[in-house]
Amino acid sequence: MSTEKEPIPAASNFIRAIIEKDLAENKYASKHWAGSPGDAAHQASGQVDFARIRTRFPPEPNGYLHIGHAKSIFLNFGLARDYNGVCHLRFDDTNPEKESQEYVDSISDMVQWLGFGWNNSTPNGVETNLYFASDYFDVMYQAAEALITHGHAYVDEQTAEEVRINRGTLTEPGKDSPFRNRSAEENLRIFREMRDGKHADGSMLLRAKIDMASPNINMRDPAIYRIRRAHHHNTGDQWCIYPMYTFAHPIEDALEQITHSICTLEFEDQRPFYDWLMARLVEAGLLANPVPYQYEFARLNLTYVVLSKRKLIQLVEEKHVSGWDDPRLPTLAGARRRGYTPAGFKLFTDRIGVSKADSWIDYSILEDCMREVLNESAPRKIGVLDPIKLVIDNYPDNQEEDCYAPNHPQKPDLGKRVVKLSKELWIEREDFMKEPAKGYFRLFPGNMVRLRYGYVVKCTGCDKDAAGNVTVVHCEYLPDTKSGTPGADSVKVKGNIHWVSAAHAYAAEIRLYDRLFKAAHPGSGDRDFLDDINPDSVTTITAQLEQGAQEAQAGDIYQFERHGYFVADRKDSVPGKPVFNRTVTLRDNWQK
């Protein structure tokens, strides 16, 4: 058996092109890795890195992952896989007030659900590349002291309002802080007092000393440490000062020997600070070249959803949805419960691509990707969602017989299943009209249709209640026309309807989920995004399903013929009593 690996895919986006150029130039060929994150001295003790590249997926554990994160996960883990590298899962947990173990667990779960992990085989055994920014707090503090010692950082005692005013505007330069020219010794003394809890929260900041006249506001002495007495999910009460994200993130990348730090476009203006910090820490001897470099791509902008973490939290906390895993939410937990699949997300991310240009992706593209994948993978079942009774008057009482339906019409190797036929059936209410419209070929008095997988039947009439509503449809069957028998084609009909035996059906709770918002851009203009919530985003019905559907396990996905794709709910299904969620209809109902 050949041991050669499959060829690396041709560069299909600008990031792949950059990686291939870096590899061709051996940019990181001499990079060392000691088996764990660490500073220059630690990494120098290791061997040349077995991983050709290192990427990372660095979520903040302050919420649940959403569909936009799926794009980043497939990008970072996919690049590492394709170029014989390693992708780290790293939690950027530098803001203790908004983070929790619940979010850590849910993020880990979703990364694994999409098909990726953090245990990587190396020449020295299995390496676990699961990291927390908070594990590097000691090194980050050391880096801050190094900046102070070399005259690149100072403690600022201005109020938050004074800092804001003196920062300047896009057209006017900022003003130097009155504390900017303190000596390194004094700054170091006060910074250590901050660390030791001798100053109040918010009373002072540690700021990088760069250029208050820079045209890039992010370079106007950005804050790198603040006092924040808050319990941390990982370090407890060990620290009362915490690094700012823009300071911590580059250091995390460097300690983990990341080669390509891939971010979304909103971090583009932060890249000069990223590079400035790397250069200063190399000069201080804390890091060694080559250092990581940041690249930006366009984040996912998707119509009919909100991906703002603040808005998602509001939807959950104000109970506009049932929780973070509500199937209407664009969270990955909600998408999994809805019946969306990792393969569908992979197809979606491949289809929309990676670029530097911001653009809007219509939600229908995601739905089409799910349809395409589920059409290939989902076995078929029969479900009657709006049932009305059909009685075959000339069919013997108490008789039943087997009809045979393919488990997947495009996959004969999956075989067929038995569907029971009896005297009384459930059919869709829309499959009968007492007075048919033009072009209507289903049941109406005098017309014949085929019961799918069964007999041809002729409609003889209907029963009505006192209000004139049809309650029962009557028909007679033609005994020699059963599907799969020699006489099946002896009678030609234009209509074909699905059904389930009333005696064998499973009455199931079905949630018909639709888009949570009725506007393509919720909250655009001066509207509150909550005003755009779709009041019909979920409807609960009782449907009649073929008997085999009752055996569904939580997470099982089927195509209910004519209707769409449905999944047995992960939370509310129990053995023998599955509850189904509609994943997506067979066709796009929103285009019209």
Side-chain angles (χ1 to χ4, degrees), residues 54-60 65-66 68-77 86-92 107-108 110-111 114 129-131 249 253 256 258 260 262 332:
R54 284 184 184 265
T55 60
R56 81 289 173 272
F57 175 61
E60 297 177 69
L65 297 183
H66 57 62
H69 292 113
K71 178 180 178 180
S72 181
I73 291 170
F74 277 109
L75 178 61
N76 282 287
F77 280 93
V86 165
C87 182
H88 299 179
L89 173 60
R90 179 213 303 149
F91 292 97
D92 262 316
I107 290 169
S108 302
M110 288 300 100
V111 170
L114 288 178
N129 300 113
L130 173 65
Y131 303 115
H249 188 84
D253 285 346
E256 294 178 19
I258 300 303
H260 300 81
I262 303 169
L332 293 182

Side-chain angles (χ1 to χ4, degrees), residues 70 103 108 117 176 181 268 356 466 482:
Y103 297 139
S108 302
D176 286 357
N181 294 318
E268 188 172 29
K356 292 279 284 187
K482 187 178 182 181

